[in-house]
């Protein structure tokens, strides 16, 4: 019997509420007979609400909360001892489960625990990484003038991340911009594995004609690094354009106020929550996918737009460019009202240009990011591990 232990730092209940889980998320290829989710928090999700994430497998949920008190107590000599002591209970849970392998998402307490389980029990583990933690740190702080407490927290998580990664059978960054972080950490067992997306609901856009007002869409969290204000201002000057903003975040009230000030409430629609299956089905209905992001990534929502064959207009980020976006797969502009406005007008004026960019994006995305392609790669990695255990 193949058993998978997935160690998770996130609160699953929140993910379920947003409708972001897709079938077999934790059990691609239905490889495992049992899937055990071990949460490093006290969340108690409804097991029935996530059964679809493991397919036909029997699903179990366990809790082993992290101990954030250790962060403020960080000491170069004592932290290793304290973390090992914290991990002992998690090792015993793994011993009772006796999984064939361990899967982690991210580099947090969960992956540190997997490393300790591997050290104690020899169970192989893999982890995917979804952000470059140097560019967009999760627990650490960027910049100078840090307080002593911030410096202490940075040192703690630098240590925890290094320990978490060094024993991994394989580290699977979900895009190339994460590679510099892993190189800095000295991690060599690395293979880029793009996110497995919703193959059942993603459909190709086949008609690039515009019937009625042009329809633009933004998908993503709403905060400073992904601020679509300049796109809203550009759209405000285009009477026959409607912009749908899918996503939520701390910037939404400010954006809603901007829409009121510009008097375009009838042409800019906010949809804070759209379940992923519905989002994937509705993407081909839009004419342009128009976003702003300073993140060093090719995010899941952007991949979905490309896989739907939508022509994409977005900013060339400040700093190092994203490798996946440098081959003409999207139209890159400066993050200004003028540049967004110019690009939107050019594409809306020409069906041929929209179709060329959208179809080119679709072909490229199908080669590298299609759900069947990415799932086959991950299943192959899992099988190679299972054959050795």
């Amino acid at each position: 019997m193949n058993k998978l232990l997935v160690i998770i730092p996130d609160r699953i209940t929140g993910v379920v509420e947003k409708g972001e889980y897709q079938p077999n998320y934790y059990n691609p290829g239905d490889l495992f007979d049992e899937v055990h989710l071990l949460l490093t928090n006290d969340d108690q999700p409804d097991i029935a609400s996530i059964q679809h994430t493991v397919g036909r497998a029997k699903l179990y949920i366990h809790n082993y909360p992290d101990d954030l008190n250790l962060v403020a107590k960080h000491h170069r000599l004592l932290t290793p001892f304290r973390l090992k002591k914290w991990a002992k209970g998690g090792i015993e849970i793994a011993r009772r489960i006796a999984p064939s392998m361990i899967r982690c998402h991210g580099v947090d307490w969960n992956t540190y625990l997997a490393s300790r389980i591997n050290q104690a029990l020899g169970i192989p583990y893999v982890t995917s990484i979804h952000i470059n933690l140097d560019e967009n740190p999760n627990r650490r702080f960027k910049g100078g003038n840090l307080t002593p407490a911030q410096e202490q927290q940075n040192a703690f998580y630098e240590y925890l991340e290094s320990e978490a990664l060094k024993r991994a059978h394989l580290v699977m960054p979900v895009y190339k911009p994460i590679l510099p972080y892993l190189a800095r950490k000295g991690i060599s067992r690395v293979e880029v594995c793009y996110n497995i997306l919703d193959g059942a609901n993603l459909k190709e856009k086949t008609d690039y004609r515009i019937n009625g007002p042009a329809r633009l869409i933004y998908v993503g969290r709403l905060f400073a690094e992904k601020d679509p204000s300049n796109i809203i201002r550009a759209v405000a000057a285009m009477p026959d354009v409607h912009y749908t903003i899918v996503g939520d975040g701390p910037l939404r009230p400010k954006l809603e106020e901007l829409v009121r000030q510009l008097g375009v409430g009838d042409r800019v629609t906010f949809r804070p929550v759209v379940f992923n299956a519905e989002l994937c089905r509705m993407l081909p209905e839009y004419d342009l996918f128009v976003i702003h992001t300073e993140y060093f990534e090719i995010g899941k929502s952007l991949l979905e737009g490309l896989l739907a064959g939508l022509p994409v207009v977005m900013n060339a980020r400040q700093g190092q460019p994203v490798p996946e976006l440098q081959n003409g797969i999207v139209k890159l502009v400066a993050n200004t009202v003028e540049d967004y406005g110019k690009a939107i007008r050019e594409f809306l004026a020409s069906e041929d240009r929209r179709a060329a960019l959208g179809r080119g994006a679709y072909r490229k995305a199908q080669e590298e990011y299609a759900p069947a392609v990415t799932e086959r790669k991950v299943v192959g990695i899992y099988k190679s591990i299972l054959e050795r255990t």
Side-chain angles (χ1 to χ4, degrees), residues 62 93 126 159 166 190 209 242 265 293 345 357 385-386:
H62 315 264
I93 293 173
V126 299
Y159 173 80
K166 71 180 185 182
V190 173
R209 292 173 297 179
H242 188 279
T293 176
R345 287 188 180 93
L357 184 59
I385 295 173
L386 293 174

Side-chain angles (χ1 to χ4, degrees), residues 359-375:
R359 288 170 180 155
Y362 179 81
R363 287 191 298 270
K364 177 68 173 176
Q366 288 298 313
E367 292 173 5
E368 296 193 28
Y369 315 130
V373 173
T374 53
E375 182 177 29

Side-chain angles (χ1 to χ4, degrees), residues 168-318:
H169 176 87
L170 185 68
V171 178
M172 304 183 299
V174 299
Y175 40 72
K176 293 176 183 176
I178 297 171
L179 294 174
Y181 164 78
L182 294 171
R184 182 180 72 81
K185 286 291 189 182
I187 306 300
S188 58
R189 294 183 298 279
V190 173
E191 189 166 353
V192 175
C193 296
Y194 294 98
N195 281 307
I196 302 173
L197 302 178
D198 187 352
N201 291 292
L202 275 169
K203 305 300 180 184
E204 178 186 3
K205 182 178 179 64
T206 56
D207 187 353
Y208 289 88
R209 292 173 297 179
I210 296 178
N211 299 306
R215 302 181 68 190
L216 279 55
I217 188 169
Y218 165 103
V219 183
R221 291 288 311 282
L222 298 176
F223 47 88
E225 292 84 358
K226 296 187 175 185
D227 181 357
S229 294
N230 284 336
I231 306 170
I232 293 172
R233 293 185 179 98
V235 167
M238 304 176 194
D240 294 327
V241 175
H242 188 279
Y243 192 31
T244 298
I245 298 174
V246 177
D248 203 356
L251 205 61
R252 182 158 67 98
K254 175 184 173 183
L255 295 172
E256 290 174 334
E257 177 59 28
L258 175 63
V259 168
R260 283 192 291 270
Q261 290 175 359
L262 294 172
V264 290
D266 58 332
R267 295 195 291 109
V268 178
T269 300
F270 290 88
R271 295 193 61 182
V273 178
V274 176
F275 277 24
N276 190 250
E278 179 188 354
L279 174 64
C280 290
R281 288 193 297 267
M282 66 191 238
L283 283 173
E285 301 171 4
Y286 288 84
D287 300 303
L288 290 177
F289 190 96
V290 189
I291 62 171
H292 164 245
T293 176
E294 297 298 339
Y295 265 43
F296 193 32
E297 65 174 10
I298 178 167
K300 175 177 173 290
S301 60
L302 175 55
L303 287 179
E304 289 168 340
L306 297 173
L307 284 164
L310 275 178
V312 175
V313 176
M314 64 181 295
N315 62 297
R317 71 182 293 272
Q318 301 171 21

Side-chain angles (χ1 to χ4, degrees), residues 311 331 342-343 346-358:
K331 172 65 176 179
K342 179 182 178 182
E346 287 178 355
F347 281 103
L348 293 184
S350 171
E351 180 182 339
D352 289 342
R353 291 196 65 184
R354 291 194 304 278
L357 184 59

